[in-house]
Amino acid sequence: MTTNQRYLSISTFLLLSGISLLPAQEKKSDQPSVVWHDASSWGIEGRGWGNDDMASFYDRLPAKAEKIVRDAVWNLSRHSAGLLVRFNTDADAISFRYKLGSNRIAMPHMPATGVSGIDLYALDQAGKWRWVEVTRPAKQDVNFTVKGIDPLMRSYCAYLPLYNSVTKLEIGVPEGAKFEKVAPRTEKPLVFYGTSITHGACASRPGIGHPAILGRKLDLPVVNLGFSGNGRMEPEVGALLSEVDAAVYIIDCLPNMQPAQVTERCEPLVKQLRQVRPDTPIVLVEDRIFTNAWIRQSKQEFHSQNHSALAATYDKLVSEGMKKLYYIEGDQLLGDDSE
């Protein structure tokens, strides 16, 4: 029997046995295809300025600020802290596909989920915002899917990264799922001006920075103008703040300032805001006490002197007739257990 005859015999046997010699074909996936929606097509919440004012869609300060504020403030304003996107869907899986502006995905003291993650919340049947999932970025191009969601129509909001910029964001749902784009709310926002604490350090995910928590608690939009290490009550930033028609201004800059700076800058900043926004409440916040200040006298003195300078300015402004000016003490803002 020749080799060819032997092969034909084997081939005939396999054919009769229902076994194919053809190359294996790739199985068709049972998963439905994903329909992607570009978040920039329906708007981002948490900005104080319109689309046409921005150098990049996911910036926090308008393009003109680059020539107004210090470079450090401008660079930090490119971070998407406080920005969020809203949508409704009945999908059982929600995908995020986004591009980060920096390859610094995490920091030594802050995880990638907080620095560069997108944090998803949903409204439960009782009307409370509840956490769902956070993306886990490992590189600048992120593609992450939240799976296993009960397929009911719900309202969602997704908080953007705290310490990274976003250059593109798409949200995907399986083909056939309903998806409704929800425009940013138009109520007057809470406007925060502060330091790294306001910016979001060192939250493990964007939704648990305190401005975001207060936004959910009070059911109001939030504009987060925290600039890590650079919240210094500067008039250039004050001029930009006054352009935002706020529900309230929260000034929380003391951790980045010395007592002499507080005395010098606080009163002019408050009057600058009050001149443009005569009826908007302004809240002055003391710096919270470092929890190791008990063993470092220099830190304790720093806090005490900062607090005294801020309190003296507040008392002076109130004595002069300043209305709707409020004061929050800092000693217990982190609790009293040194943790």
Side-chain angles (χ1 to χ4, degrees):
M1 181 180 295
T2 67
T3 302
N4 190 50
Q5 287 174 322
R6 184 182 300 113
Y7 175 76
L8 291 174
S9 298
I10 294 172
S11 299
T12 303
F13 172 76
L14 292 174
L15 183 63
L16 292 172
S17 302
I19 301 173
S20 174
L21 289 178
L22 296 174
Q25 299 295 312
E26 188 174 316
K27 288 186 178 181
K28 186 176 180 181
S29 173
D30 294 331
Q31 297 297 323
S33 59
V34 175
V35 179
W36 293 99
H37 305 271
D38 191 325
S40 66
S41 68
W42 72 92
I44 198 78
E45 186 171 299
R47 274 193 339 216
W49 294 266
N51 294 346
D52 294 339
D53 299 318
M54 313 307 292
S56 176
F57 188 80
Y58 299 104
D59 283 355
R60 291 186 289 154
L61 288 179
K64 66 181 180 182
E66 184 175 10
K67 296 181 179 180
I68 297 173
V69 301
R70 290 182 297 109
D71 288 347
V73 173
W74 170 250
N75 292 334
L76 291 166
S77 78
R78 314 305 298 273
H79 295 169
S80 55
L83 302 184
L84 62 88
V85 61
R86 295 180 176 274
F87 58 93
N88 301 330
T89 185
D90 63 354
D92 62 357
I94 300 173
S95 298
F96 295 95
R97 186 166 68 184
Y98 61 102
K99 174 78 171 180
L100 295 164
S102 171
N103 61 6
R104 188 183 71 164
I105 307 301
M107 296 190 288
H109 62 319
M110 188 171 176
T113 49
V115 172
S116 304
I118 288 181
D119 203 11
L120 184 64
Y121 278 72
L123 205 60
D124 69 12
Q125 293 180 337
K128 180 179 180 180
W129 287 104
R130 305 284 294 275
W131 181 66
V132 178
E133 187 59 272
V134 64
T135 67
R136 296 168 178 80
K139 56 184 180 178
Q140 283 180 262
D141 292 297
V142 185
N143 200 326
F144 186 93
T145 299
V146 181
K147 301 178 181 178
I149 302 172
D150 296 336
L152 301 173
M153 197 67 179
R154 293 187 181 88
S155 294
Y156 290 88
C157 70
Y159 292 91
L160 272 59
L162 292 171
Y163 270 83
N164 211 327
S165 59
V166 172
T167 60
K168 186 175 180 62
L169 168 60
E170 295 174 294
I171 299 172
V173 295
E175 188 175 18
K178 295 178 182 177
F179 188 90
E180 298 173 354
K181 304 171 181 179
V182 178
R185 291 174 293 178
T186 57
E187 294 97 328
K188 293 182 179 182
L190 310 172
V191 177
F192 289 83
Y193 175 32
T195 67
S196 60
I197 301 167
T198 299
H199 195 142
C202 285
S204 60
R205 49 187 178 81
I208 54 173
H210 75 268
I213 292 173
L214 287 170
R216 293 193 300 274
K217 184 178 182 66
L218 299 176
D219 194 26
L220 285 171
V222 170
V223 173
N224 183 333
L225 296 179
F227 304 115
S228 189
N230 287 275
R232 301 178 186 174
M233 297 189 186
E234 294 168 300
E236 296 83 1
V237 178
L240 293 165
L241 283 173
S242 68
E243 293 179 1
V244 183
D245 189 8
V248 58
Y249 294 110
I250 301 101
I251 310 302
D252 189 4
C253 293
L254 259 62
N256 290 164
M257 301 178 70
Q258 296 297 319
Q261 290 178 311
V262 178
T263 300
E264 175 190 348
R265 297 180 180 182
C266 183
E267 181 178 350
L269 177 65
V270 172
K271 289 183 175 179
Q272 183 182 28
L273 294 173
R274 182 58 74 233
Q275 182 176 8
V276 180
R277 304 289 179 183
D279 298 317
T280 303
I282 300 172
V283 178
L284 302 178
V285 185
E286 289 183 347
D287 51 341
R288 58 286 298 139
I289 301 293
F290 281 107
T291 52
N292 61 356
W294 69 274
I295 203 170
R296 294 179 174 176
Q297 185 64 29
S298 61
K299 281 191 175 182
Q300 188 62 58
E301 290 176 356
F302 164 78
H303 290 304
S304 297
Q305 292 170 9
N306 254 2
H307 293 181
S308 295
L310 189 69
T313 301
Y314 169 80
D315 291 340
K316 179 177 184 293
L317 290 168
V318 170
S319 69
E320 292 174 351
M322 178 76 70
K323 304 297 183 184
K324 297 186 177 180
L325 182 65
Y326 303 92
Y327 195 94
I328 295 178
E329 296 182 346
D331 287 4
Q332 302 299 321
L333 284 179
L334 296 181
D336 58 2
D337 61 357
S338 293
E339 298 296 340

